[in-house]
Structure formats: C-alpha cells, structure tokens
Amino acid sequence: MSLRILGGTAKGRSLQVPDSARPSGARVRKSLFDLLSARAPAGRYPRFIDLHGGSGAIGLEAASRGYSVTLVERDARAVRALEANARALDLRVRIVKGDAAALLGRLGPFEVVFSDPPYDADIPALTLKLLRSGVVAPAGLLVCQHPDRARLPDHAGFTREVREYGSNSLTLYWRGAGGAAGEGASVDEESGAELE
C-alpha cells in the first residue's frame, strides 16, 4: 500500500506503508494541516511530535510542510519503513523507537503533539496521561485522532474542540495563556454544523 504526501516540499510523492500501520486518510490529513496552518503555522510552532509514527502519513507530512518533527514508533518494521520513507523523500526527522507513553518524560515539550494510537487502546486514559505529562509546550496543542464513538475528557488548562470526519474524530486540546478548561464544539466537517 502507498499513499501520497499532500503538501510542502515532498508534495505528491509516495510513502510506502507497512502492513502494521493504519494510516490517516487523506481527508483527515488535509483537514488537520488546514487547521494547523490557520492556528499553529510551522513558522510559529516548529516542534511537532507524532507519538505513534506508524506509516509516517502525519509526521512526514508535517516535515514536508516545515515542522521540526520527531516520530515515535514501537514496531521495528514500521521504524524501518519510516527511516526508508524519510530518506526517499529527503526529509529530516528524528525517529525514536519505543512506546510513546513510557517515553513521555524524556521526549521534551512540543508545540504540536499528535496522538493516533491503535484504536483498541484506552484512548481517553492515554489522552489524560498526555495532558498531565508536560509534553505539550506552553501555548501548544494536542491533537488526538480516535474513533468517533470515543469521547475524550476535558482537562483543566486546556480548551477541547472536536472535529468529526465520518467514523473518525480529531479532538484538539489548546493550551494557552490563561486558557481555562472548556467544552469544545463538535463540528461535522461536511456540513459545518455543530453536533450534540
């Protein structure tokens, strides 16, 4: 299986996807980077971490668009594919082999943190761990991709916003100066309508 980079210096070039990966679809990737370009452009928020590197669809896309990217991946086959894809696309990224949740204290803060764990994981519990860990830099954001049936928690100091894409959701946690916890709106991307 292969997929293409959507923007930046490697736009249109293919990634080879390992069998162990479940890459984010083009619609979700495009929407994510449209959101980031409006709210967290690469020039303002350069440090980007993809905590579950998988295929590299998100992390290598971010590198193509000018972010300074770290990818974390525990599967050895996926790590080799990430390394090969980064070389083939001439993208400079840092690849860390290991379990993201276990490495949090050693990764440092990032302005953009992307989490798309296996969908059978306890995603709400992992999200709380990320929000409490300090991996999100001051004025940074956490983006969690998850099944639409999963509801992620609010957390003090962050504003939560949910974007729906069919059976997938992106929950964004914005951390800003004086940011209070808040219930974000759920938005259906196709209609733009707020959801209950």
Side-chain angles (χ1 to χ4, degrees):
M1 175 182 184
S2 70
L3 52 85
R4 295 192 181 278
I5 297 287
L6 301 175
T9 61
K11 181 178 179 178
R13 304 214 21 222
S14 293
L15 293 174
Q16 293 306 310
V17 179
D19 293 338
S20 61
R22 175 193 40 82
S24 299
R27 180 176 172 224
V28 172
R29 286 184 288 130
K30 181 181 184 312
S31 296
L32 170 63
F33 285 97
D34 286 349
L35 283 165
L36 292 179
S37 69
R39 299 186 189 188
R44 182 170 170 210
Y45 292 111
R47 293 174 298 176
F48 186 113
I49 188 166
D50 183 344
L51 293 169
H52 311 277
S55 68
I58 296 295
L60 294 175
E61 181 81 40
S64 177
R65 293 171 183 255
Y67 291 89
S68 174
V69 174
T70 297
L71 297 109
V72 180
E73 177 55 51
R74 65 182 177 188
D75 182 83
R77 291 168 300 164
V79 167
R80 287 192 295 273
L82 288 171
E83 291 168 344
N85 280 324
R87 277 193 306 274
L89 299 174
D90 198 27
L91 295 173
R92 295 185 61 170
V93 296
R94 175 182 171 219
I95 299 171
V96 178
K97 184 178 185 302
D99 179 77
L103 292 170
L104 282 177
R106 294 181 273 164
L107 294 171
F110 292 82
E111 283 80 15
V112 181
V113 177
F114 181 76
S115 176
D116 179 16
Y119 277 10
D120 60 356
D122 186 344
I123 298 174
L126 175 61
T127 300
L128 277 177
K129 185 171 185 176
L130 297 176
L131 291 166
R132 294 172 178 158
S133 72
V135 74
V136 182
L141 67 126
L142 168 64
V143 181
C144 299
Q145 183 175 333
H146 57 89
D148 63 338
R149 67 185 178 276
R151 180 171 165 77
L152 302 192
D154 289 327
H155 190 69
F158 290 84
T159 299
R160 184 175 61 84
E161 175 184 342
V162 180
R163 299 279 175 147
E164 302 288 344
Y165 305 91
S167 63
N168 291 292
S169 297
L170 292 178
T171 296
L172 296 86
Y173 290 89
W174 299 95
R175 181 177 185 173
E183 182 73 24
S186 294
V187 178
D188 183 313
E189 282 295 299
E190 290 188 301
S191 67
E194 248 182 53
L195 303 172
E196 291 298 319

